[in-house]
Amino acid sequence: MSKKAERQVIPLNQRLALTVQEVADMTGFSYPFIDRQIAAGNLTACAPGGDGRSKRVRPADVDEWLRANLWEPLSA
């Protein structure tokens, strides 16, 4: 059996870090939008490879980013 076949699948809500695509899938926003939010410094991410190509985002940072950007209707 290969090492890849032996890897345990961890549910997204139990992962320590998510890919940009996983964040996009979870939130319903597009990959480019999430990537731009990271580049603008609005959503915290880390780049374990050091080159920025394999960015990861903590689920807690996604929650914080969403809470910081709640929409509130204008008062009448």
Side-chain angles (χ1 to χ4, degrees), residues 23-74:
V23 173
D25 292 344
M26 285 176 55
T27 61
F29 294 111
S30 69
Y31 180 101
F33 177 78
I34 298 297
D35 202 41
R36 284 193 306 269
Q37 292 298 299
I38 292 169
N42 298 326
L43 178 57
T44 303
C46 64
D51 59 7
R53 292 175 36 171
S54 60
K55 296 182 283 290
R56 298 292 185 268
V57 180
R58 295 181 315 159
D61 291 327
V62 176
D63 289 341
E64 182 180 320
W65 172 68
L66 289 170
R67 284 176 220 236
N69 291 287
L70 291 176
W71 176 79
E72 294 185 24
L74 297 173

Side-chain angles (χ1 to χ4, degrees), residues 3-28:
K3 285 189 177 192
K4 190 167 192 158
E6 294 173 12
R7 289 179 69 180
Q8 180 182 3
V9 176
I10 301 172
L12 289 179
N13 64 347
Q14 295 177 10
R15 303 248 320 263
L16 296 177
L18 306 167
T19 66
V20 175
Q21 186 61 58
E22 289 168 338
V23 173
D25 292 344
M26 285 176 55
T27 61

